[in-house]
Amino acid sequence: MATHKETAKEIVLKIGGRENVDQVWHCVTRLRFNLQDKNKVKLDEIKQIDGVMGAQFSGDQFQVIIGNKVAEVFEEVEPLVGVGGSSNSKNREKQGGISRILDTISGIFTPILPALVGAGLLKGFVALFITFGWFSSKSDTYAVLNAIGDGVFYFLPFFLAVSAARKFKTNEYLALAIAGTLLYPTFVDATRGITDISNFTLFGLSFVSIPVVNYASSVLPIILSVLLLKYVYKFIRSWMPSSITVMFSPLLALLIVVPLTLWLIGPLGTNIGNGLSQVFAWLFEHAGPVAGLLMAGLMPLIVMTGMHYTFAPISIQNMSLYGFDNVLAPTMFISNLAQAGAAFGVALRTKNKELRQLGISSGISAVIGITEPAMYGVNMKLKRPFYYAMISSGLLGAFAGWYGFKAFTMGGLVGIFSIPTFADPSGEAGNLIVALVMLALAIILPIILILIFGFEDIATEDQTSGVGKVEKGLAEAASTITSMEGESKTADVFSPLTGKIVPLKDVSDATFAQEIMGKGIAIQPADNRVVSPVPGIIMVLPDSQHAVGIKGDDGQEILIHIGIDTVSLRGKHFKALVKEGDRVISGQPLIEFDRDAIQAEGLDSVTMIIVTNTADYLDVLPVNEKGQIFEEEQLLSIVK
């Protein structure tokens, strides 16, 4: 048996060495690597390393399955590759241009969404209150609430500076210094006409004419300037003597980047942003029905590819220039609700009880603005409902483009709760009425199309088989246990949560599906907590809190893993109720989690219950292989 140090050395060697590692961390059972060159990985040889249970690529991430000893192996891997891995990425496999742009925009905007969503929704409610006449736009209350809501958007360059600096891996505080200059009162006053300055010169150089530009709520100028900062600051530090680099590297970086930003990059970014906004404004003004038809009708495909992120800067730029967005929010509003309507239509027409329940639950989720369950779980699976949703949203999008349907602020999830964002701050009710009409029609039209034209329904198990898998599973389990009576005995593992049983082979993660970690069963949770399936001791509880390992009093080692790849959430949406070393009894709550929030992040919340020391037993048998199960019902039988 190899030591953990030997295992770690072999793994690092066969993934291409220290220089091929950008980042490494671990979850409950796996080492996770971000690598520069995937082609250097010797996958088959890694699987043969003593102490490694399996290895696989998951997206851009390479995973080495270790099992319960992953923390010990990680402790040996970390010093071999350096903390966080190497930061040198010059040999990294190149992404396509579009893929890189999408990744960059997504990576910059995603962290600041809570601020944008909260502030935007507040602005929407303020506009709604004015429309209803609940307070005046001249009142002190309006002034305070508007400042809270508008402050994020006015000072958006500050938020983008931090987020872009983290994405580009450069100094956040230097990035903030650039943003501070862009919004410094000297330049702001000039844009407002408070001073009569039309441009600034620098160092007496006549050709360096810095134009007066309003950078409030701007997007591209600060992102481009932080990208420049990354290379300038890195270059300066590469030759600056270490004894003075702390003082003079930031000084020179600011003296180079900020003037270039004010002179060239800022105006260029502003003109690009304004140009894109004007193009879309022209399209919706002169070809509104066509633009609305294409945007709303194709929005599900745009969302699937992630390209909707590229419209976020345009949406913000439109609000800055014109005071509204008629491109992204209105068309997503219509599209999301059409997906909800299609799911509801499936629920009304199907004869499959499980599909009906899924249609209702995913439809409700889509009405709120979370479309993935409806789109992937129901509509795309059945094909026709997906087409009906696209047709319906396309038709309504054409009307919206003709009418000039607008959103006046951002509002987070684009669904029923984003209605206030369509309230005109002037108090006019027309746009808000159209939003309510769009809400109703986007849901009703797909339902009508489904009821008229139908779809190919999914037959229930009773229609396709005379004997259900549940009864078969029970019979096989009973037969096996009975045949071993007198020679061995069994231990029970009880269900740690309420939900729907999923055979392990149907889980999307190959590590669990192929029983690399051990035998067990999976459950699609119906509530938001996990309880202990046996009395025992908590042996493993990572900081991410997405999994827990228990050593039962009968010696069984049980891993409860909540969701697929949920380690990436780093503890978000999870709350541990116990700690390592605690003694627990059967049925004691262990972890609380938010399954809806997990699914909203695009992750599967299916929960695996694995007996990781399966090799110590004759067999591990699920009592049932399908159907509903409740907390503390018998789930597994372990044959000793």
Side-chain angles (χ1 to χ4, degrees):
M1 181 70 180
T3 66
H4 300 319
K5 189 171 186 177
E6 291 170 345
T7 300
K9 284 182 178 179
E10 285 291 305
I11 292 172
V12 173
L13 177 66
K14 296 185 187 304
I15 61 174
R18 175 191 182 113
E19 63 277 5
N20 196 36
V21 179
D22 271 343
Q23 190 176 14
V24 58
W25 69 102
H26 74 94
C27 61
V28 177
T29 59
R30 313 175 194 197
L31 296 172
R32 296 170 180 261
F33 296 89
N34 283 339
L35 303 175
Q36 295 182 30
D37 187 353
K38 296 179 181 179
N39 296 323
K40 292 183 178 181
V41 175
K42 300 176 181 179
L43 184 61
D44 292 334
E45 293 183 26
I46 291 173
K47 291 179 179 179
Q48 301 303 317
I49 295 174
D50 194 7
V52 172
M53 303 175 71
Q56 63 185 22
F57 282 99
S58 179
D60 292 330
Q61 188 183 107
F62 182 61
Q63 303 174 354
V64 180
I65 300 98
I66 302 296
N68 294 339
K69 303 298 183 182
V70 66
E72 289 88 337
V73 176
F74 175 76
E75 288 180 0
E76 301 295 340
V77 168
E78 193 172 25
L80 296 177
V81 300
V83 178
S86 169
S87 61
N88 177 21
S89 59
K90 64 182 180 181
N91 295 322
R92 181 182 297 179
E93 183 180 341
K94 293 184 177 179
Q95 292 176 294
I98 294 177
S99 177
R100 178 174 293 182
I101 291 172
L102 292 176
D103 177 68
T104 300
I105 294 176
S106 171
I108 291 173
F109 273 90
T110 299
I112 67 172
L113 280 180
L116 293 175
V117 168
L121 199 55
L122 176 60
K123 289 185 69 176
F125 276 112
V126 169
L128 190 65
F129 296 160
I130 291 175
T131 301
F132 292 157
W134 291 349
F135 57 69
S136 169
S137 60
K138 298 179 180 180
S139 67
D140 291 345
T141 301
Y142 169 81
V144 173
L145 294 180
N146 186 65
I148 297 172
D150 201 43
V152 173
F153 295 96
Y154 183 87
F155 293 106
L156 185 61
F158 285 95
F159 294 86
L160 292 173
V162 174
S163 189
R166 290 177 179 174
K167 180 64 180 177
F168 297 141
K169 297 181 180 178
T170 190
N171 189 280
E172 299 171 15
Y173 299 99
L174 290 177
L176 282 170
I178 299 171
T181 305
L182 296 180
L183 293 177
Y184 193 72
T186 299
F187 301 111
V188 173
D189 290 347
T191 63
R192 292 178 174 179
I194 297 176
T195 60
D196 57 0
I197 300 174
S198 59
N199 59 71
F200 297 83
T201 58
L202 189 64
F203 303 129
L205 301 174
S206 58
F207 64 89
V208 181
S209 178
I210 297 175
V212 173
V213 178
N214 182 9
Y215 292 108
S217 303
S218 62
V219 174
L220 286 180
I222 189 64
I223 293 177
L224 294 176
S225 65
V226 174
L227 181 60
L228 175 64
L229 172 67
K230 171 186 178 178
Y231 295 104
V232 170
Y233 190 48
K234 183 178 180 181
F235 171 72
I236 293 172
R237 288 173 59 115
S238 69
W239 55 262
M240 181 70 68
S242 59
S243 59
I244 59 174
T245 189
V246 174
M247 295 181 292
F248 290 102
S249 292
L251 171 64
L252 290 179
L254 290 175
L255 284 176
I256 294 171
V257 175
V258 176
L260 284 175
T261 297
L262 293 172
W263 178 34
L264 297 175
I265 294 175
L268 175 64
T270 300
N271 290 333
I272 292 174
N274 289 346
L276 290 173
S277 295
Q278 289 166 3
V279 167
F280 279 93
W282 185 90
L283 284 174
F284 275 83
E285 181 179 353
H286 295 88
V290 176
L293 172 71
L294 294 176
M295 278 292 292
L298 298 177
M299 186 56 68
L301 303 180
I302 294 172
V303 171
M304 286 167 59
T305 60
M307 289 185 64
H308 60 296
Y309 284 113
T310 61
F311 289 96
I314 297 172
S315 176
I316 294 173
Q317 193 75 20
N318 280 346
M319 290 182 182
S320 176
L321 282 177
Y322 310 115
F324 59 79
D325 169 33
N326 59 350
V327 178
L328 184 62
T331 50
M332 281 196 73
F333 177 74
I334 294 168
S335 176
N336 289 354
L337 292 170
Q339 292 294 329
F344 288 141
V346 169
L348 287 173
R349 177 146 184 158
T350 185
K351 296 180 180 179
N352 186 313
K353 292 182 180 179
E354 292 183 0
L355 184 58
R356 181 179 298 115
Q357 293 174 357
L358 182 59
I360 294 172
S361 61
S362 64
I364 294 173
S365 175
V367 167
I368 296 172
I370 303 170
T371 58
E372 286 81 2
M375 193 159 69
Y376 294 107
V378 179
N379 300 335
M380 288 184 66
K381 186 175 182 179
L382 299 172
K383 295 186 176 66
R384 283 192 178 185
F386 185 67
Y387 302 147
Y388 298 150
M390 292 180 66
I391 291 170
S392 301
S393 58
L395 293 174
L396 294 174
F399 173 81
W402 169 80
Y403 175 81
F405 184 42
K406 308 174 182 70
F408 294 93
T409 185
M410 298 185 70
L413 294 175
V414 185
I416 190 170
F417 294 121
S418 67
I419 286 289
T421 66
F422 299 101
D424 193 330
S426 68
E428 294 291 330
N431 197 76
L432 184 60
I433 293 172
V434 170
L436 295 173
V437 172
M438 292 291 104
L439 170 66
L441 291 179
I443 294 175
I444 293 172
L445 281 182
I447 293 176
I448 293 174
L449 291 176
I450 287 174
L451 293 179
I452 293 175
F453 298 106
F455 57 87
E456 187 175 345
D457 202 359
I458 297 176
T460 62
E461 186 177 346
D462 290 340
Q463 293 172 319
T464 58
S465 175
V467 180
K469 292 183 180 179
V470 176
E471 290 78 4
K472 183 179 179 182
L474 282 170
E476 290 177 352
S479 175
T480 304
I481 295 170
T482 302
S483 66
M484 295 178 177
E485 212 169 61
E487 299 179 24
S488 61
K489 56 183 181 178
T490 64
D492 295 328
V493 175
F494 298 95
S495 177
L497 69 168
T498 297
K500 180 182 176 182
I501 294 175
V502 178
L504 210 55
K505 63 181 177 61
D506 294 339
V507 172
S508 60
D509 190 314
T511 301
F512 294 109
Q514 296 173 13
E515 298 184 345
I516 294 175
M517 293 298 302
K519 292 186 177 183
I521 198 75
I523 298 175
Q524 191 68 54
D527 58 17
N528 293 314
R529 76 169 187 173
V530 162
V531 302
S532 181
V534 294
I537 303 294
I538 302 296
M539 302 300 294
V540 178
L541 185 62
D543 292 340
S544 55
Q545 303 179 63
H546 73 294
V548 60
I550 307 165
K551 177 115 180 205
D553 289 347
D554 291 329
Q556 65 271 50
E557 297 176 5
I558 300 169
L559 170 68
I560 304 172
H561 194 289
I562 306 169
I564 304 293
D565 285 334
T566 45
V567 66
S568 62
L569 297 176
R570 301 183 186 274
K572 185 180 178 184
H573 310 313
F574 295 93
K575 179 183 179 183
L577 306 177
V578 293
K579 61 182 182 297
E580 285 187 12
D582 282 358
R583 173 160 190 82
V584 294
I585 61 173
S586 182
Q588 179 177 336
L590 303 178
I591 297 175
E592 292 178 350
F593 60 96
D594 188 338
R595 69 186 191 284
D596 293 332
I598 292 170
Q599 291 167 358
E601 300 271 3
L603 301 174
D604 190 349
S605 63
V606 66
T607 298
M608 284 63 65
I609 300 92
I610 308 296
V611 179
T612 57
N613 61 336
T614 294
D616 296 342
Y617 302 99
L618 292 177
D619 210 346
V620 176
L621 302 167
V623 175
N624 290 325
E625 290 187 348
K626 70 165 293 184
Q628 294 294 122
I629 193 164
F630 297 91
E631 282 184 7
E632 300 188 76
E633 276 193 284
Q634 187 179 357
L635 182 68
L636 300 171
S637 282
I638 301 176
V639 183
K640 298 180 179 180

